[in-house]
Amino acid sequence: MTLDRRQFLRRSGAAALAAGAGVAAGPGGADAAGAGRDRLLQADGELQFAVASDPAARLPGVPFHGVWQAGIVTPPPPAACFAAFNVTAADRAGLIDLLKTLTSRARFLTHGGAHADGGPTQPPLDSGTLGPEVVPDGLTITLGLGSTLFDERFGIAEREPRRLSEMTAFPNDNLDPGICGGDLLVQICAGSADTAIHALRDIAKHTRGAMQVLWRTDGFISPPRPSGVPRNHLGFMDGIANPEVTDPFVANRLLWVVPGLGEPAWAVGGSYHVCRVIRMFIEFWDRVTLAEQQAMIGRYRSSGAVLGSSSLSTLPHYGRDPKGRVVPLTAHIRLSNPRTKASEDSRILRRGYNYDNGVDLAGNLDMGLIFNCFQQDLVRQFVATQTRLIGEPMVDYISPVGGGYFFAVPGVRDAADWYARRLFE
């Protein structure tokens, strides 16, 4: 009978124990037992595998080409990486070459396939963290342009989107300049963290010398618990009330830049992208009573339903509660979306992710929400919404610390197209 390696080690260990039991049987017994124990200590145990190790568990690919970029209306996968870059290209030609390179890498990474081998005398052309073949895994790469890209460096100042600006602080913000702004924002979303990080490394490698990382934060979406919409670090379901942007009428009113808005022609098909890193003061939040938490949010923590209702899908009717006896007038959901005719044009498409950055220098948990949203008009929608939230009760437990405003460029139409091509025509 042939023994495999594991059986051999198991039997060798048993033999060593038997030898140890008979040390006094004769000369050299102690030495033999010691050698057996040494061999047992040096032997390898069983290989350890991740719980979800099946390659088939990877998500299918998301088409890269289209009128709009993927990663906006695409259902958000579990992992994300947001990286802002400063462009270091020397001139307009260098910027165009950078955008073409970004397009080429995004096209390959989202489609997947075997990566080329540079040979034994060259550095590997791929990091190898996904193995010998790049798998799509639901990867989307969404590019946004910051207002600083439209300075005098590249001759495109007069073609800046009409509403694009640098992000300024609201009264309750505590912005860290080191994690704000950027010429470009690359939003990378995927089924697994390693897929997202692999894409970031690939992009950084192939664009070195033309752009440099300014700030970065990684995010994740937890599975729904127990069902329905995933939860944030506050324990509440996040992203329940989004407009129905699968309807073209709604999308053309709230999401996409369309003709007739006074935007430059090249921007049609794009969307304003707001990314805000919001710190949550978890230690303080966890000491607040459940009733007070729910009053600040306006929803039941357990079910996600609006206060006074029993279903997650029930819409609030604030007109029936004018004095806020059921849903307080200061509740987050009531201030952010009053559900009036006047406020309907300020709705935004949210696509948020949780983040966890360990602890700060004071030993407090550094975690929160990557508030991520898209809209047709930055001022009419996000700025108006955030203005309504100034001074809300939640400001004692959250604080925006970073992020920026960007313009998500129109989609790459086909194999001959590239990011923001019409900007330069």
Side-chain angles (χ1 to χ4, degrees), residues 72-73 239-247 249-256 315 337 339 343-351 373-376 381:
I72 299 176
V73 296
I240 296 172
N242 263 327
E244 185 53 81
V245 293
T246 57
D247 185 300
F249 170 77
V250 177
N252 289 337
R253 280 282 295 273
L254 299 179
L255 181 58
W256 308 120
L315 296 179
N337 185 8
R339 305 275 179 176
S343 66
E344 66 183 17
D345 269 358
S346 64
R347 299 193 68 188
I348 56 180
L349 176 65
R350 290 174 295 151
R351 205 171 184 273
C373 72
F374 296 88
Q375 54 265 294
Q376 182 184 79
Q381 293 170 266

Side-chain angles (χ1 to χ4, degrees), residues 138-162:
L139 178 68
T140 60
I141 298 174
T142 310
L143 178 68
L145 311 183
S147 64
T148 52
L149 188 71
F150 293 88
D151 57 18
E152 72 286 348
R153 289 173 292 170
F154 307 114
I156 56 175
E158 73 284 356
R159 311 200 75 184
E160 182 177 7
R162 186 168 65 102

Side-chain angles (χ1 to χ4, degrees), residues 1-11:
M1 177 178 66
T2 302
L3 296 180
D4 64 21
R5 180 174 177 273
R6 189 173 298 161
Q7 290 172 320
F8 173 77
L9 290 173
R10 204 175 280 133
R11 296 192 181 188

Side-chain angles (χ1 to χ4, degrees), residues 23-37:
V23 166
D31 290 341
R37 285 192 294 271

Side-chain angles (χ1 to χ4, degrees), residues 278-295:
I278 302 177
R279 173 87 178 266
M280 294 176 172
F281 304 123
I282 300 298
E283 291 90 346
F284 297 100
W285 179 259
D286 288 344
R287 298 186 181 99
V288 176
T289 66
L290 179 60
E292 189 177 353
Q293 289 182 0
Q294 293 179 157

